[in-house]
């Protein structure tokens, strides 16, 4: 199934004896080649074959910033801190880093390497690994399209808050007033029952209905914000990676500047130490809970942006001799370091908010005690206040904004915060959509259509469909898509990617490719992860997720205006049907393309392999054929003739290599 890269026709000749004239001339030639490699290497590995045009990064820094910006997203700021404090504090870091080592970095490394080697988007890459695997690339493109569709809604919310952050006072600082028929004013009862930040989020921004079955009115403010956000994405992507790559200098660096500013502001606040201590104080008993390990693996997987096709697309524009191993380690550790740093920033501010609430409660309690009112006294507990931090959008648009209200110069802090969220979201959106655009270009479905028209059509279609979020039930539809469309399909796609490299392309051959590109061969650990550890981890997470879904069910928090609070409601039947459709529309392409190919129907047309300077790289790095060790033969089923088995080897008489037979 992987005949596209058959190298069996390349015959190796025995090297001449050491000391002979031929050996001396060969050594001189190698020395000359090495001496001139530094001058010629850029031309060898960066240039494309005449007649083929493919974009390339202007610099290595641009690629790294784009990849970091793609991997570091909103989940690092509002998902990781919540999961850490919920699942054992500092103890959560144990399963988090274990999952990073056996699942996150290996698959990140795999996607960067295969994209750089085959120099195509996700569809082109997996079609060349095997014509039967083209469905993996289509599935990546489909799930990227669906995720980009609802992910841009977050960017629209950030734009709304960013615009209103310039108002004084901030519109979510106090409850609005209502004029009654007797010409008297009073605070909005719904806001009084909840809080100003909750009321502004649910009622003013989202205009939430009380269930997903009641869309109610059309949200014009949200519709305008969606149109503006999609226009900004189009403007940033229309010139390809040359244009969007330059934009990442701002979108990737600015969030770190804001986080550093908030860090120094946060640690000077009263209660910041209590917040950070609450986040990282270990509760070791939680390690016995399998849900903690499940959520650690899920967070690692989605925070790195695996299986979207964006990493493959980004790396396909790299020089052929780029050190993808170093990039994978650097970006993965940067992503995890950002999550921990953001956790410190967020919980220093949450500690300040919780301490202020605790102080007000204590003051009220002491006042009641002074009046000899000892019945129904309020219960004041700082740890309870710290534990009541929300996740996701609630953390950003409710908890954090409420804390910002208490800062001097709250408008400035609000502008910085929501501008940071906007930049975090939009550069992740670049990577997600780049996986779709590169796949469409590589498929050559519209060979005569310029890339900017493809980007325009893609953004226009997404903008049109995203109007379903601009109504009272829009936030619930967002939660439905976020809960199902971006979870299970990505795990399944990444599982097939790992299996395709390990059992069809071949771990040995893949390691040879990486050695040819980087000059160093992946060690035993990475090969073991690709073939065994990573697939087992993903299968475990998938089975545990399905079991949890079947036993506990799935619900969504619906805003009940009369109570000023949210209540968990079960998804109606039509939402369950939509959820299954979203999952199946992504993953069914994998078996469909394979079955149709068996029947002689080509969904993905075969394309010629991209030009790759294989001979030049072998000469530059001085690559010699790798002789597998006995351990590699036993564990990875490497055969003497260069083939690779799929199951455990049969132990018997050792086979003789071709050199020994000769």
């Amino acid at each position: 199934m992987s005949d596209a890269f058959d190298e069996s026709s390349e015959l190796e000749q025995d090297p001449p004896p050491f000391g002979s004239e031929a050996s001396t001339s060969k050594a001189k030639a190698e020395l000359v080649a090495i001496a001139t490699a530094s001058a010629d290497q850029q031309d060898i590995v960066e240039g494309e074959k005449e007649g083929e045009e493919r974009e390339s990064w202007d610099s290595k820094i641009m690629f790294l910033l784009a990849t970091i910006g793609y991997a570091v997203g909103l989940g690092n700021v509002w998902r990781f801190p919540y999961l850490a404090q919920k699942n054992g504090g500092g103890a959560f870091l144990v399963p988090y880093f274990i999952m990073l080592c056996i699942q996150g970095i290996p698959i990140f490394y795999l996607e960067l390497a295969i994209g750089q080697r085959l120099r195509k988007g996700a569809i082109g890459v997996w079609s060349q690994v095997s014509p039967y695997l083209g469905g993996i690339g289509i599935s990546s493109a489909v799930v990227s399209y669906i995720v980009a569709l609802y992910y841009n809604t977050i960017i629209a919310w950030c734009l709304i808050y960013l615009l209103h952050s310039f108002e004084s006072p901030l519109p979510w600082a106090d409850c609005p007033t209502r004029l009654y028929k007797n010409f008297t004013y009073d605070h909005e009862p719904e806001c009084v029952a909840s809080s100003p930040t909750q009321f502004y989020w649910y009622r003013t921004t989202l205009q939430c209905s009380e269930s997903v079955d009641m869309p109610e009115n059309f949200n014009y403010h949200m519709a305008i914000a969606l149109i503006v956000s999609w226009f900004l994405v189009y403007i940033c992507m229309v010139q390809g990676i040359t244009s969007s790559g330059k934009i990442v200098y701002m979108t990737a660096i600015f969030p770190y500047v804001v986080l550093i500013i908030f860090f120094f502001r946060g640690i000077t606040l009263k209660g910041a130490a209590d917040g950070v201590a609450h986040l990282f104080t270990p509760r070791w008993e939680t390690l016995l809970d399998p849900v903690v390990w499940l959520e650690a693996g899920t967070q690692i997987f989605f925070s790195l942006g695996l299986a979207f096709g964006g990493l493959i697309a980004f790396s396909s524009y790299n020089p052929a001799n780029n050190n993808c191993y170093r990039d994978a380690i650097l970006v993965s550790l940067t992503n995890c370091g950002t999550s921990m740093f953001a956790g410190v920033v967020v919980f220093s501010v949450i500690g300040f908010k919780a301490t202020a609430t605790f102080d007000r409660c204590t003051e009220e309690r002491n006042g009641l005690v002074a009046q000899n009112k000892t019945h129904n006294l309020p219960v004041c507990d700082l740890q309870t206040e710290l534990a009541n931090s929300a996740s996701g959008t609630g953390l950003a648009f409710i908890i954090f904004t409420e804390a910002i209200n208490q800062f001097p110069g709250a408008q400035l802090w609000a502008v910085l915060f929501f501008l940071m969220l906007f930049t975090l979201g939009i550069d992740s959106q670049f990577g997600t959509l780049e996986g779709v655009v590169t796949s469409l270009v590589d498929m050559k479905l519209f060979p005569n259509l310029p890339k900017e028209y493809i980007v325009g059509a893609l953004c226009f279609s997404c903008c049109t469909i995203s109007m379903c979020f601009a109504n009272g039930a829009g936030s619930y539809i967002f939660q439905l898509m976020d809960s199902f469309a971006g979870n299970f399909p990505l795990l399944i796609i990444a599982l097939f990617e790992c299996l395709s490299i390990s059992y069809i392309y071949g771990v040995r051959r893949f390691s040879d490719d990486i050695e040819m590109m980087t000059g160093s061969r992946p060690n035993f650990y990475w090969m073991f992860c690709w073939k065994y550890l990573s697939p087992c981890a993903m299968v475990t997470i998938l089975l545990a997720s399905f079991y949890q879904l079947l036993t506990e069910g799935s619900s969504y928090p619906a805003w009940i205006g009369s109570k000023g609070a949210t209540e968990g409601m079960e998804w109606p039947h039509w939402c369950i049907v939509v959820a299954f459709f979203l999952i199946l529309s992504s993953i069914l392409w994998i078996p469909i393309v394979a079955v149709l190919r068996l029947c002689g129907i080509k969904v993905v047309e075969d394309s010629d392999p991209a030009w790759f300077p294989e001979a030049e790289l072998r000469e530059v790095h001085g690559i010699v054929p790798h002789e597998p060790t006995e351990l590699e033969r036993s564990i990875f089923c490497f055969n003497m003739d260069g083939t690779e088995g799929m199951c455990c080897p049969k132990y018997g008489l050792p086979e003789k290599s071709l050199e020994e037979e000769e």
Side-chain angles (χ1 to χ4, degrees):
M1 294 169 68
S2 54
D3 294 332
F5 286 89
D6 188 12
E7 297 176 356
S8 59
S9 59
E10 296 183 9
L11 301 178
E12 298 283 347
Q13 293 184 354
D14 289 337
F18 180 79
S20 65
E21 184 176 352
S23 174
T24 306
S25 357
K26 181 178 179 182
K28 289 180 180 178
E30 288 177 351
L31 288 174
V32 172
I34 293 171
T36 57
S38 58
D40 297 340
Q41 190 170 354
Q42 291 295 107
D43 294 333
I44 290 174
V45 298
E46 290 187 357
E48 285 290 338
K49 187 179 179 181
E50 187 176 353
E52 295 182 6
E53 295 183 2
R54 188 170 186 84
E55 294 175 284
S56 60
W57 299 102
D58 287 349
S59 66
K60 180 62 177 289
I61 295 295
M62 186 181 291
F63 163 73
L64 286 176
L65 287 177
T67 311
I68 290 172
Y70 166 67
V72 176
L74 296 167
N76 298 76
V77 175
W78 67 32
R79 178 75 176 155
F80 173 81
Y82 166 75
L83 287 178
Q85 69 92 20
K86 170 191 170 188
N87 293 308
F92 179 73
L93 298 179
V94 174
Y96 183 77
F97 280 105
I98 289 177
M99 288 298 180
L100 174 68
C101 293
I102 68 174
Q103 177 185 275
I105 299 179
I107 302 176
F108 199 94
Y109 184 14
L110 182 150
E111 291 198 355
L112 288 184
I114 197 66
Q116 181 175 315
R117 172 61 180 89
L118 301 185
R119 312 192 65 73
K120 291 182 180 291
I123 294 178
V125 159
W126 299 114
S127 297
Q128 289 207 200
V129 170
S130 170
Y132 298 92
L133 298 177
I136 298 178
I138 297 179
S139 294
S140 292
V142 172
V143 76
S144 296
Y145 180 85
I146 295 174
V147 170
L149 184 65
Y150 72 81
Y151 194 83
N152 211 48
T153 307
I154 305 175
I155 299 175
W157 293 337
C158 294
L159 285 176
I160 293 174
Y161 270 75
L162 179 61
L163 178 64
H164 291 289
S165 295
F166 292 94
E167 299 179 15
S168 181
L170 292 172
W172 52 82
D174 298 299
C175 288
T177 55
R178 173 189 285 188
L179 176 63
Y180 292 92
K181 293 181 180 179
N182 58 356
F183 299 102
T184 59
Y185 288 93
D186 195 6
H187 288 298
E188 184 71 42
E190 186 178 338
C191 180
V192 174
S194 55
S195 68
T197 52
Q198 281 185 307
F199 179 82
Y200 188 84
W201 169 242
Y202 287 110
R203 183 58 64 202
T204 306
T205 304
L206 301 180
Q207 299 180 14
C208 273
S209 59
E210 292 196 352
S211 82
V212 70
D213 290 319
M214 297 185 293
E216 294 183 355
N217 57 317
F218 187 75
N219 191 340
Y220 291 98
H221 299 287
M222 188 66 202
I224 294 172
L226 284 167
I227 293 172
V228 172
S229 61
W230 277 113
F231 178 73
L232 291 175
V233 171
Y234 169 74
I235 291 298
C236 294
M237 291 193 64
V238 68
Q239 298 299 327
I241 63 163
T242 304
S243 172
S244 60
K246 295 174 182 176
I247 295 171
V248 299
Y249 280 105
M250 188 269 185
T251 59
I253 296 175
F254 181 76
Y256 287 97
V257 175
V258 177
L259 279 176
I260 292 172
I261 294 173
F262 266 97
F263 170 75
F264 286 107
R265 176 59 182 143
I267 60 175
T268 60
L269 296 171
K270 180 183 178 181
D274 293 324
V276 176
H278 177 77
L279 174 63
F280 288 113
T281 300
R283 300 188 297 277
W284 299 110
E285 67 277 3
T286 58
L287 295 180
L288 301 176
D289 186 357
V291 175
V292 174
W293 292 81
L294 171 64
E295 293 195 338
T298 306
Q299 174 63 14
I300 279 293
F301 187 88
F302 298 118
S303 68
L304 288 175
L306 305 174
F308 281 103
L311 292 174
I312 294 177
F314 278 172
S315 64
S316 70
Y317 301 122
N318 270 332
N321 69 331
N322 177 62
N323 193 334
C324 51
Y325 170 70
R326 183 176 55 200
D327 295 344
I329 299 294
L330 175 63
V331 176
S332 300
L333 293 182
T334 301
N335 178 75
C336 295
T338 303
S339 295
M340 297 177 65
F341 182 61
V344 172
V345 172
V346 168
F347 266 84
S348 64
V349 176
I350 287 178
F352 163 70
K353 171 189 167 294
T355 301
T357 304
F358 175 75
D359 289 344
R360 286 195 301 269
C361 178
T362 305
E363 184 179 347
E364 181 184 351
R365 181 185 176 90
N366 293 337
L368 292 174
V369 170
Q371 300 173 13
N372 294 323
K373 297 179 180 179
T374 57
H375 296 289
N376 298 324
L377 291 175
V379 179
C380 305
D381 186 4
L382 179 60
Q383 294 303 316
T384 302
E385 292 294 333
L386 289 169
N388 287 336
S389 58
S391 68
T393 54
L395 177 63
F397 296 104
I398 298 176
I399 302 295
F400 216 86
T401 51
E402 188 174 339
I404 288 176
N405 288 338
Q406 304 174 48
F407 287 5
Q411 286 78 13
L412 173 62
W413 295 106
V415 168
L416 284 175
F417 179 68
F418 291 110
L419 192 57
M420 177 190 72
L421 292 185
F422 171 77
T423 53
L424 278 173
I426 202 164
D427 56 5
S428 295
Q429 186 78 337
F430 293 158
T432 305
L433 279 178
E434 187 62 42
V436 184
V437 173
T438 305
S439 296
L440 290 175
V441 171
D442 288 344
M443 282 183 71
K444 298 180 180 178
L445 293 178
F446 313 101
N448 299 321
L449 197 64
K451 188 174 181 179
E452 53 267 25
Y453 287 95
I454 297 177
V455 174
L458 190 67
C459 291
F460 179 77
S461 65
C462 286
C463 184
T464 304
I465 300 174
S466 66
M467 290 299 113
C468 67
F469 303 116
N471 59 71
S475 62
Y476 306 140
I477 299 173
F478 170 88
Q479 292 174 37
L480 177 69
M481 298 181 71
D482 187 41
S483 299
F484 296 99
N487 288 359
F488 300 110
L490 290 174
L491 275 169
I492 294 171
I493 292 169
L495 175 61
F496 274 93
E497 287 182 354
C498 222
L499 295 177
S500 300
I501 290 296
S502 300
Y503 299 102
I504 296 178
Y505 193 84
V507 170
R508 179 178 181 178
R509 183 167 151 206
F510 188 54
S511 301
D512 290 341
D513 289 343
I514 293 176
E515 183 182 16
M516 179 174 56
M517 293 186 294
T518 65
S520 60
R521 190 176 186 83
N523 58 35
F524 179 88
Y525 173 76
W526 300 113
M527 294 191 290
F528 190 77
C529 283
W530 291 328
K531 194 153 189 173
Y532 301 115
L533 271 185
S534 297
C536 288
M538 285 183 283
V539 168
T540 303
I541 291 175
L542 271 173
L543 294 177
S545 300
F546 280 122
Y547 177 77
Q548 188 179 34
L549 184 63
L550 291 174
T551 54
E552 300 179 8
S554 180
S555 60
Y556 66 99
W559 176 253
I560 309 299
S562 58
K563 299 180 180 179
T566 58
E567 286 187 1
M569 296 184 66
E570 294 293 328
W571 292 107
H573 295 301
W574 70 268
C575 287
I576 301 298
V577 173
V578 171
F580 273 104
F581 173 77
L582 291 172
I583 295 173
L584 295 177
S585 64
S586 301
I587 63 174
L588 278 182
W589 289 101
I590 299 175
I592 286 175
V593 170
V595 170
L596 290 178
R597 187 79 186 198
L598 284 172
C599 298
I601 302 173
K602 296 181 180 180
V603 178
V604 180
E605 290 294 328
D606 297 332
S607 60
D608 294 331
W611 178 79
F612 190 79
E614 183 173 345
E616 291 86 346
L617 286 174
R618 290 184 183 278
E619 184 177 355
V620 166
H621 293 302
I623 303 298
V624 296
H626 174 71
E627 184 67 24
T629 63
E630 287 297 327
L631 182 62
E632 289 177 340
R633 290 195 184 102
S634 302
I635 300 297
F636 303 117
C637 314
F638 293 163
N639 299 321
M640 290 293 188
D641 59 358
T643 61
E644 189 172 332
M646 292 182 61
C647 56
C648 294
K650 297 178 181 178
Y651 292 97
L653 293 175
E655 304 176 38
K656 289 185 176 181
S657 64
L658 294 177
E659 289 80 3
E660 289 175 346
E661 289 179 358
E662 290 177 359

